[in-house]
Amino acid sequence: LSRAGERADEAASRQVAQADPGDPLVALTQDLVRIPSENPPGDTRAVCAALGVYLKEAGFALEFFEPEAGFASLLAIYEFERPGATLLLCGHVDVVPALAGSGRWSRDPWGGEIEGGRLYGRGSLDMKGPLAALVLAATEVARSEVPLSGRLVVAAVADEERGGRRGSGALVQAGKIRADAALIAEPGDRRVVVAHRGMCFVEIRTKGRSGHASVPEHGVNAVELMVEVLTACRSLTLRHEPHPLLGSPTVAVTTIDGGENANVIPDLCRATFDVRKVPGMSDVTVKEDIVEHLERAGFGNPAQVEVRILASGEPGETAPDAGVVEIAVRAFEREFGHPPEVGGTAAATDGWWFSQSGIPTVMALGPGGIAGCHIADEFVDIEELRSYARIYTDIIANFLSVPELA
Ligand SMILES: [Zn+2]
């Protein structure tokens, strides 16, 4: 046995002592947490296969989709007897690497250990626990005797942590997502989230001419030029209409990289900006605004200062009075005894892939919040997870309920 194996055994015996073996929500969450699916690299085949077994047993028809090797997503479909609307239930199965973010784990990130009402592990909160709650709610409704209509689609998707292009994006592009409404079970900070900002990673390059550092005037220093460019960007403003739920865009300088040797004038320096967009903004206007701002500040020569878009994701929004949002609000209120705030979130979710194709989407509704994601000793509160499982059951049953016959 390897040391890791011994640790896993030790962890397993602790769980036997503390977990309720009859609790399917805890058991499924543990099963999913114990299958690593770090992104990068993003291989989600094993975790989708495990979910497939579970959903097939409950009568769901399965379709696996793998647009790029390893990036597997699962669509599990349940048709009720009468025709009706389709509700899409979505959760991502990839997780950020165990060591992402700061701090050290005091537990096995793949152990699913339980202590003090918390289930620990990478992805326990973001978002294998919430996905387990969604899957249990879906199977419970499918097995119940209550007459419902329409279709339930569970989408367990890859690649959300790196923008979703090879997960939800590929599913939408392939025409595999057809739904009247969608619900994403991301941690929502006790709110019903109907809007999220988009992102746009921008690279700025300054270019100079290298030379011997003992005669700096013979070269053109790209690092010094970058200092001036970044200083000028402190007064950068981006065109936008402030959004009622999402406010205004933000810009953060996130990386800088330039120079190779202590005695050489650097001829290249690169920096990246993380720009968070609100609805109405586009990559084109973001780039134009930066280029024009730099021109006004005296950095208009593209041979010296270059601006490019590296990666991008769009903002998403759904009308707060959409039917699925109202059903979610009522379900939340029944569970917690007070109405939720219907709001926006600073972080991105997969919601925009669906909302941009016209599907009203609850972008995040789930236990915990952003502060609990991507951290060491990530955990989900088991009681809170149970509350959300009840909320999901309530939403599904109400969305697919058969109208009273006259
Ligand atoms: Zn997430």
Side-chain angles (χ1 to χ4, degrees):
L1 265 182
S2 67
R3 294 248 303 279
E6 279 167 26
R7 266 207 311 279
D9 277 356
E10 211 179 278
S13 56
R14 266 207 300 279
Q15 282 145 21
V16 170
Q18 286 163 350
D20 171 1
D23 186 335
L25 179 54
V26 167
L28 183 57
T29 303
Q30 286 178 319
D31 284 350
L32 299 180
V33 166
R34 287 170 185 162
I35 306 171
S37 51
E38 292 174 300
N39 190 9
D43 189 335
T44 48
R45 287 173 295 189
V47 63
C48 280
L51 273 171
V53 170
Y54 197 90
L55 283 153
K56 196 173 176 194
E57 268 173 21
F60 283 71
L62 307 184
E63 184 181 354
F64 291 93
F65 184 67
E66 195 178 334
E68 224 174 275
F71 291 90
S73 295
L74 167 67
L75 292 177
I77 298 155
Y78 190 91
E79 305 260 4
F80 291 90
E81 266 169 41
R82 305 177 198 211
T86 297
L87 178 62
L88 175 72
L89 307 170
C90 180
H92 64 85
V93 285
D94 62 320
V95 297
V96 292
L99 297 178
S102 57
R104 281 166 181 266
W105 285 77
S106 67
R107 306 164 190 271
D108 179 357
W110 316 114
E113 290 172 43
I114 292 168
E115 196 183 306
R118 295 170 167 185
L119 194 160
Y120 288 88
R122 175 56 84 223
S124 54
L125 181 67
D126 183 14
M127 57 172 290
K128 288 171 168 175
L131 178 59
L134 208 53
V135 165
L136 272 163
T139 56
E140 189 182 307
V141 172
R143 284 178 170 136
S144 77
E145 304 288 301
V146 184
L148 296 174
S149 60
R151 293 198 315 160
L152 257 188
V153 180
V154 176
V157 299
D159 200 36
E160 192 275 344
E161 295 292 1
R162 284 199 287 162
R165 192 176 53 79
R166 292 159 292 198
S168 293
L171 284 164
V172 168
Q173 220 158 34
K176 296 194 174 290
I177 300 292
R178 278 184 298 270
D180 297 289
L183 164 65
I184 302 178
E186 288 271 14
D189 285 299
R190 285 275 171 135
R191 299 182 309 160
V192 175
V193 173
V194 296
H196 68 75
R197 300 195 298 176
M199 55 84 175
C200 175
F201 299 155
V202 182
E203 183 184 75
I204 313 270
R205 285 178 180 229
T206 52
K207 288 172 279 187
R209 195 176 61 245
S210 62
H212 199 289
S214 66
V215 276
E217 65 275 20
H218 290 176
V220 177
N221 193 316
V223 169
E224 287 189 9
L225 182 55
M226 181 63 83
V227 171
E228 291 170 33
V229 164
L230 294 182
T231 304
C233 282
R234 287 195 166 149
S235 57
L236 172 68
T237 55
L238 300 172
R239 271 175 288 166
H240 71 283
E241 284 291 329
H243 187 273
L245 300 178
L246 299 170
S248 291
T250 53
V251 181
V253 180
T254 46
T255 74
I256 184 162
D257 161 34
E260 283 175 30
N261 292 295
N263 59 356
V264 177
I265 299 298
D267 63 350
L268 178 66
C269 186
R270 285 183 298 229
T272 51
F273 290 0
D274 176 327
V275 177
R276 297 295 166 135
K277 297 176 287 191
V278 298
M281 295 171 70
S282 74
D283 294 347
V284 175
T285 65
V286 168
K287 184 176 167 180
E288 276 174 6
D289 289 350
I290 295 173
V291 168
E292 280 167 23
H293 182 81
L294 289 174
E295 274 170 10
R296 283 194 299 274
F299 305 107
N301 180 357
Q304 280 195 308
V305 182
E306 197 187 324
V307 179
R308 350 188 262 144
I309 306 289
L310 294 181
S312 157
E314 296 309 308
E317 63 177 330
T318 288
D321 62 354
V324 68
V325 177
E326 290 184 345
I327 287 172
V329 164
R330 286 199 297 272
F332 182 104
E333 188 167 3
R334 273 192 284 275
E335 176 63 27
F336 292 119
H338 61 90
E341 182 192 334
V342 176
T345 177
T349 77
D350 264 346
W352 71 280
W353 294 108
F354 308 134
S355 65
Q356 71 169 3
S357 44
I359 302 172
T361 301
V362 174
M363 310 276 174
L365 173 62
I370 292 173
C373 302
H374 304 189
I375 59 170
D377 287 342
E378 177 182 346
F379 69 88
V380 66
D381 181 289
I382 294 171
E383 275 315 309
E384 196 185 6
L385 188 61
R386 286 201 183 96
S387 285
Y388 278 93
R390 288 190 288 268
I391 289 172
Y392 302 148
T393 305
D394 189 337
I395 292 171
I396 297 166
N398 275 293
F399 192 87
L400 301 180
S401 65
V402 181
E404 291 285 329
L405 295 174

PDB file of all heavy atoms in Angstrom, residues 92 126-127 160-161 186-187 374, ligand 1:
ATOM      1  N   HIS A  92     -21.868  21.404 -13.378  1.00  0.00           N
ATOM      2  CA  HIS A  92     -20.602  20.983 -14.005  1.00  0.00           C
ATOM      3  C   HIS A  92     -19.918  19.920 -13.156  1.00  0.00           C
ATOM      4  O   HIS A  92     -20.036  19.920 -11.927  1.00  0.00           O
ATOM      5  CB  HIS A  92     -19.689  22.173 -14.291  1.00  0.00           C
ATOM      6  CG  HIS A  92     -19.196  22.937 -13.098  1.00  0.00           C
ATOM      7  ND1 HIS A  92     -18.087  22.553 -12.380  1.00  0.00           N
ATOM      8  CD2 HIS A  92     -19.659  24.063 -12.498  1.00  0.00           C
ATOM      9  CE1 HIS A  92     -17.871  23.434 -11.407  1.00  0.00           C
ATOM     10  NE2 HIS A  92     -18.819  24.352 -11.449  1.00  0.00           N
ATOM     11  N   ASP A 126     -18.460  23.158  -5.100  1.00  0.00           N
ATOM     12  CA  ASP A 126     -18.426  23.691  -6.479  1.00  0.00           C
ATOM     13  C   ASP A 126     -18.010  22.588  -7.442  1.00  0.00           C
ATOM     14  O   ASP A 126     -16.861  22.470  -7.765  1.00  0.00           O
ATOM     15  CB  ASP A 126     -17.454  24.870  -6.514  1.00  0.00           C
ATOM     16  CG  ASP A 126     -17.401  25.537  -7.878  1.00  0.00           C
ATOM     17  OD1 ASP A 126     -18.283  25.278  -8.712  1.00  0.00           O
ATOM     18  OD2 ASP A 126     -16.456  26.301  -8.111  1.00  0.00           O
ATOM     19  N   MET A 127     -18.954  21.756  -7.974  1.00  0.00           N
ATOM     20  CA  MET A 127     -20.326  21.731  -7.506  1.00  0.00           C
ATOM     21  C   MET A 127     -20.889  20.320  -7.543  1.00  0.00           C
ATOM     22  O   MET A 127     -21.994  20.090  -7.987  1.00  0.00           O
ATOM     23  CB  MET A 127     -21.199  22.728  -8.275  1.00  0.00           C
ATOM     24  CG  MET A 127     -21.194  22.498  -9.792  1.00  0.00           C
ATOM     25  SD  MET A 127     -22.414  23.524 -10.667  1.00  0.00           S
ATOM     26  CE  MET A 127     -23.955  22.783 -10.155  1.00  0.00           C
ATOM     27  N   GLU A 160     -16.544  23.716 -17.249  1.00  0.00           N
ATOM     28  CA  GLU A 160     -17.078  25.011 -16.800  1.00  0.00           C
ATOM     29  C   GLU A 160     -15.965  25.875 -16.217  1.00  0.00           C
ATOM     30  O   GLU A 160     -15.954  27.089 -16.386  1.00  0.00           O
ATOM     31  CB  GLU A 160     -18.187  24.801 -15.761  1.00  0.00           C
ATOM     32  CG  GLU A 160     -18.989  26.060 -15.448  1.00  0.00           C
ATOM     33  CD  GLU A 160     -18.371  26.948 -14.384  1.00  0.00           C
ATOM     34  OE1 GLU A 160     -17.475  26.497 -13.639  1.00  0.00           O
ATOM     35  OE2 GLU A 160     -18.768  28.115 -14.300  1.00  0.00           O
ATOM     36  N   GLU A 161     -15.028  25.224 -15.527  1.00  0.00           N
ATOM     37  CA  GLU A 161     -13.998  26.004 -14.825  1.00  0.00           C
ATOM     38  C   GLU A 161     -13.025  26.695 -15.783  1.00  0.00           C
ATOM     39  O   GLU A 161     -12.235  27.529 -15.372  1.00  0.00           O
ATOM     40  CB  GLU A 161     -13.233  25.109 -13.832  1.00  0.00           C
ATOM     41  CG  GLU A 161     -14.094  24.570 -12.682  1.00  0.00           C
ATOM     42  CD  GLU A 161     -14.560  25.656 -11.721  1.00  0.00           C
ATOM     43  OE1 GLU A 161     -14.238  26.844 -11.936  1.00  0.00           O
ATOM     44  OE2 GLU A 161     -15.270  25.303 -10.748  1.00  0.00           O
ATOM     45  N   GLU A 186     -25.337  26.089  -9.083  1.00  0.00           N
ATOM     46  CA  GLU A 186     -24.099  26.654  -8.523  1.00  0.00           C
ATOM     47  C   GLU A 186     -24.381  27.309  -7.172  1.00  0.00           C
ATOM     48  O   GLU A 186     -25.490  27.804  -6.935  1.00  0.00           O
ATOM     49  CB  GLU A 186     -23.555  27.745  -9.463  1.00  0.00           C
ATOM     50  CG  GLU A 186     -22.961  27.245 -10.753  1.00  0.00           C
ATOM     51  CD  GLU A 186     -21.461  26.936 -10.645  1.00  0.00           C
ATOM     52  OE1 GLU A 186     -20.937  26.860  -9.505  1.00  0.00           O
ATOM     53  OE2 GLU A 186     -20.837  26.741 -11.697  1.00  0.00           O
ATOM     54  N   PRO A 187     -23.366  27.374  -6.302  1.00  0.00           N
ATOM     55  CA  PRO A 187     -23.528  28.110  -5.040  1.00  0.00           C
ATOM     56  C   PRO A 187     -24.008  29.527  -5.309  1.00  0.00           C
ATOM     57  O   PRO A 187     -23.446  30.214  -6.168  1.00  0.00           O
ATOM     58  CB  PRO A 187     -22.107  28.106  -4.448  1.00  0.00           C
ATOM     59  CG  PRO A 187     -21.475  26.880  -5.030  1.00  0.00           C
ATOM     60  CD  PRO A 187     -22.045  26.744  -6.414  1.00  0.00           C
ATOM     61  N   HIS A 374     -13.172  27.058  -4.656  1.00  0.00           N
ATOM     62  CA  HIS A 374     -11.767  27.127  -5.094  1.00  0.00           C
ATOM     63  C   HIS A 374     -10.812  27.324  -3.921  1.00  0.00           C
ATOM     64  O   HIS A 374      -9.736  27.893  -4.083  1.00  0.00           O
ATOM     65  CB  HIS A 374     -11.544  28.258  -6.120  1.00  0.00           C
ATOM     66  CG  HIS A 374     -12.441  28.174  -7.333  1.00  0.00           C
ATOM     67  ND1 HIS A 374     -12.281  28.971  -8.431  1.00  0.00           N
ATOM     68  CD2 HIS A 374     -13.489  27.371  -7.634  1.00  0.00           C
ATOM     69  CE1 HIS A 374     -13.198  28.678  -9.346  1.00  0.00           C
ATOM     70  NE2 HIS A 374     -13.951  27.697  -8.868  1.00  0.00           N
TER      71      HIS A 374
HETATM   72 ZN    ZN B   1     -18.901  26.092 -10.255  1.00  0.00          ZN
END
